[in-house]
């Protein structure tokens, strides 16, 4: 290495991916000062002041020299405070203020972390992505903020050194006090602690809705619930993560990365073991749903990746927000384009929507009379467009359960036992779709429906009769077959029978009742 | 300004002038006053006019203490005064340079061409 020079490895973030960055520090005579170049954004440029204070408060000297800090590659924008630690280490190394212990190759270590003025190391967003990228580059040693350590502790083959302060990092590098590496965790062990937040045993009555929820979970289908206020739509939706199969390791990595980038992980938390349940308010903008902002941050559809996106009061969402859901619903990915950044985020989620049947909420209710005029109802329902409705496989009515029925009803089946059946149905699907990119019935493409959904002529006849009578679109036709496939899987049948079709058709009847009057 | 502080400054400037003379520079002016501010030393290094800011810190031997006090704002002030000085003498096309000298208990740190005022000034 050239004297007065140091190069430290770190990573920047672009969307969900990390890219390698070299922090080069060049120290010369002249008026003391620090200049950061290489397309830093404001938060990176501010790191000058944090690094300065942190070095002084760690009992080291800020060398009275002119220092140029280059973040290479110089043509990619760098953002965020995670460059603080590599810059501080680079400054100390370039000026001979840091003497790495013999045998230590500082070039092979990845550094990242935000520095407090007192020299403490603060957690940063996107730690998981950085460590995954480092591992892909063949780097195995990482020094990071202690609060980020659990998040990355499941990555195989990495030596993770969690540090609480700049002093700890310096002492570690100089060999004065070694940091003990983070113990590697097995994802399977993590999963043992899965807490189920809302349990189906708390849902009394609602046999029809419970069945539909189970079908939705078993096949990964989207679902719409229409019902009066207080009929339990939200409660039902919240039960869904508890009956879905547990996140696989790969799925957990995907989802945790997105949450990590978005800064949605609590400091010190590990990989996500629970499927995400996102319930944005109906005032949500297109950018907050799809992703956006100057840096193309992930939106709700991506935060719900591998989990559930629950939209309550569906017609209250803005038309543009609802229409923007069509691409992610269809493709499972969104591309967020901004002036400075473009990012692709995965967004494969189950859409669960809830709505009232009319503005006052009591149209068709046994409890109360509806006060809305037909025009009002029509206008309300029309907020939900046909193409969006078409993409929802299951539509059900949820009726309020009378209080007397609730208090007298015996405890209902628990989430755990429903989850067992769901897992069995998913297993059948996994085996059937082995070797394809499909992972559940809802993701079947039209081309492979014939191959995977065999039906007898009698069954087909029933389906065709229903389609004819209900004037269903081609897309709806395919969706019925997919739902029927799931129902058949739930009872372990290889072929789809007439009963399966009949039940699937029944989940399609609502757009007749409400939207095609 | 406290009298002692002023005297410290003058002592430092004398040491600096002595040092630069030994390097072969000739004194043009000491403590040149302009409305924009004072220039500690103006000297000639061959044909080049050198404006020198002297920072004296007898209280410390911590290197860089004085140097860091020459902030960008201070640099702009010195440049402005230099500009007025050059205008007065009709020397606007002569080569100039800005040096900073730090004097502390450990000795003298001389930074030739310490900063280059950019933009509209030069």
């Amino acid at each position: 290495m050239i004297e007065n020079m140091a190069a430290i490895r770190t990573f920047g973030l672009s969307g969900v991916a990390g890219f390698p960055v070299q922090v080069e520090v060049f120290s010369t005579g002249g008026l003391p000062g620090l200049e950061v170049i290489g397309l830093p954004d404001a938060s990176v440029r501010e790191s000058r002041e944090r690094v300065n204070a942190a070095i002084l408060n760690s009992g080291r000297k800020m060398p009275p020299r002119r220092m140029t800090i280059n973040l290479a590659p110089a043509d990619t924008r760098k953002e965020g405070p995670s460059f603080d630690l590599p810059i501080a280490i680079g400054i100390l190394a370039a000026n001979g203020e840091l003497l790495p212990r013999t045998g230590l190759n500082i070039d092979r270590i990845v550094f990242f972390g935000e520095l407090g003025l007192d020299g403490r190391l603060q957690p940063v967003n996107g730690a998981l992505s950085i460590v995954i990228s480092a591992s892909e580059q063949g780097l195995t040693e990482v020094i990071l903020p202690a609060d980020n350590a659990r998040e990355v502790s499941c990555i195989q083959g990495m030596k993770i050194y969690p540090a609480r302060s700049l002093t700890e990092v310096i002492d570690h590098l100089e060999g004065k006090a070694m940091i003990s590496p983070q113990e590697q965790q097995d994802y399977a062990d993590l999963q043992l602690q899965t807490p189920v937040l809302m349990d189906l045993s708390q849902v009394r009555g609602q046999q029809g809705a419970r069945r539909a929820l189970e079908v939705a979970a078993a096949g990964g289908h989207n679902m719409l619930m229409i019902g009066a206020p207080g009929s339990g739509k939200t409660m039902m939706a919240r039960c869904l993560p508890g009956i879905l199969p547990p996140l696989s390791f790969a799925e957990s990595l995907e989802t945790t990365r997105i949450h990590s980038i978005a800064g949605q992980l609590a400091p010190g938390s590990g990989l996500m073991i629970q499927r995400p349940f996102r319930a944005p308010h109906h005032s949500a903008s297109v950018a907050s749903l799809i992703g956006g902002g100057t840096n193309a941050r992930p939106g709700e559809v991506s935060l719900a990746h591998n989990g559930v996106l629950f939209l309550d009061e569906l017609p209250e969402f803005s038309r543009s927000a609802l229409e923007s859901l069509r691409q992610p619903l269809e493709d499972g990915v969104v591309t967020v384009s901004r002036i400075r950044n473009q990012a692709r985020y995965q967004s494969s989620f189950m859409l669960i929507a809830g709505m009232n049947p009319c503005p006052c909420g009591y149209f068709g209710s046994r409890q109360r009379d509806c006060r809305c005029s037909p025009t009002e109802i029509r206008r309300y329902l029309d907020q939900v467009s046909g193409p969006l409705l078409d993409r929802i496989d299951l539509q059900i009515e949820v009726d309020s359960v009378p209080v007397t029925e609730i208090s007298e009803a015996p405890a209902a089946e628990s989430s755990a036992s429903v989850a067992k059946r769901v897992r069995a149905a998913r297993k059948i699907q996994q085996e059937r779709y082995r070797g394809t990119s499909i992972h559940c019935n809802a993701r079947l493409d039209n081309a492979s429906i014939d191959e995977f959904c065999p039906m007898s002529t009698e069954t087909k006849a029933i389906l065709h009769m229903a389609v004819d009578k209900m004037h269903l679109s081609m897309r709806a036709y395919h969706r019925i077959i997919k739902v029927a496939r799931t129902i058949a899987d739930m009872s372990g049948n290889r072929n789809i029978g007439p009963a399966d079709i009949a039940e699937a058709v029944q989940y399609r009847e609502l757009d007749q009742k409400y939207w095609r009057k | 300004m406290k009298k002692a502080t002023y005297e410290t400054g003058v002592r430092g400037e004398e040491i600096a002038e002595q040092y630069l003379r030994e390097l072969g520079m000739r004194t043009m002016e000491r403590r040149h006053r302009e409305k924009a501010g004072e220039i500690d030393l103006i000297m000639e290094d061959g044909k080049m006019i050198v404006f020198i800011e002297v920072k004296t810190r007898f209280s410390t031997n911590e290197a860089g203490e004085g140097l860091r006090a020459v902030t960008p704002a201070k640099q702009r002030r010195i440049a402005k005064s230099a500009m007025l000085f050059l205008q007065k003498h009709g020397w606007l096309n002569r080569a100039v340079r800005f040096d900073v000298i730090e004097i502390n208990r450990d000795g003298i740190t001389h930074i030739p061409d310490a900063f280059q005022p950019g933009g509209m000034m030069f």
Side-chain angles (χ1 to χ4, degrees), chain B residues 54-113:
Chain B
V54 184
K55 282 288 165 198
T56 316
R57 294 282 190 274
F58 285 130
S59 59
T60 177
N61 59 359
E62 187 79 52
E65 272 297 301
L67 296 182
R68 273 189 259 271
V70 190
T71 57
K74 181 100 190 162
Q75 292 170 18
R76 277 196 296 278
R77 222 164 23 237
I78 296 168
K80 200 158 183 190
S81 301
M83 187 73 179
L84 294 168
F85 171 82
L86 294 171
Q87 247 166 3
K88 231 173 258 178
H89 293 84
W91 288 336
L92 281 174
N93 51 3
R94 284 189 60 172
V96 300
R97 196 178 81 201
F98 295 85
D99 287 10
V100 175
I101 286 196
E102 178 184 61
I103 296 165
N104 64 19
R105 277 190 292 190
D106 272 5
I108 300 172
T109 316
H110 177 206
I111 301 176
D113 205 8

Side-chain angles (χ1 to χ4, degrees), chain A residues 74-97:
Chain A
D75 60 351
T76 320
R77 222 157 258 289
K78 324 290 184 312
E79 55 183 73
S82 72
F83 297 101
D84 289 2
L85 178 63
I87 288 176
I89 297 296
I91 288 173
L92 295 172
N95 293 288
E97 291 277 332

Side-chain angles (χ1 to χ4, degrees), chain B residues 19-50:
Chain B
Y19 172 82
L20 293 173
R21 275 167 173 281
E22 278 164 28
L23 291 180
M25 287 162 66
R26 291 181 308 281
T27 308
M28 293 172 83
E29 287 212 40
R30 299 185 188 91
R31 287 191 297 289
H32 173 79
R33 251 178 204 284
E34 289 285 353
K35 250 187 242 156
E38 206 177 74
I39 300 177
D40 294 339
L41 274 172
I42 304 177
M43 299 180 83
E44 247 180 329
D45 189 0
K47 296 219 153 202
M48 189 179 266
I49 301 177
V50 186

Side-chain angles (χ1 to χ4, degrees), chain A residues 392-408:
Chain A
I392 298 178
D393 303 347
L394 302 166
Q395 301 157 358
I396 56 161
E397 264 176 327
V398 182
D399 214 354
S400 306
V401 181
V403 179
T404 49
E405 219 171 282
I406 292 180
S407 50
E408 282 160 19

Side-chain angles (χ1 to χ4, degrees), chain A residues 7-86:
Chain A
I8 304 292
R9 274 179 201 274
T10 187
F11 282 81
L13 290 172
S14 163
V16 84
F19 61 92
V21 172
Q22 283 268 29
V23 176
E24 301 173 334
V25 181
F26 177 53
S27 160
T28 60
L31 278 185
L34 235 159
E35 179 143 39
V36 184
I37 58 170
L39 284 189
D41 79 343
S43 61
V44 179
R45 220 169 295 122
E46 281 176 353
S47 87
R48 289 199 296 201
E49 308 303 324
R50 289 192 294 271
V51 167
N52 191 14
I55 287 180
L56 293 176
N57 287 326
S58 303
R60 297 281 159 152
K61 279 194 202 107
M62 190 69 189
R65 296 168 68 79
R66 212 179 91 177
M67 275 168 286
T68 308
I69 292 155
N70 181 35
L71 308 176
D75 60 351
T76 320
R77 222 157 258 289
K78 324 290 184 312
E79 55 183 73
S82 72
F83 297 101
D84 289 2
L85 178 63

Side-chain angles (χ1 to χ4, degrees), chain A residues 13 19 32 178 225 257 273 318 346 368 401 412 420 511:
Chain A
L13 290 172
F19 61 92
M178 306 296 287
M225 292 180 282
R257 274 176 96 155
I273 43 176
S318 78
Q346 285 171 295
R368 251 193 253 183
V401 181
K420 218 178 273 171
D511 55 1

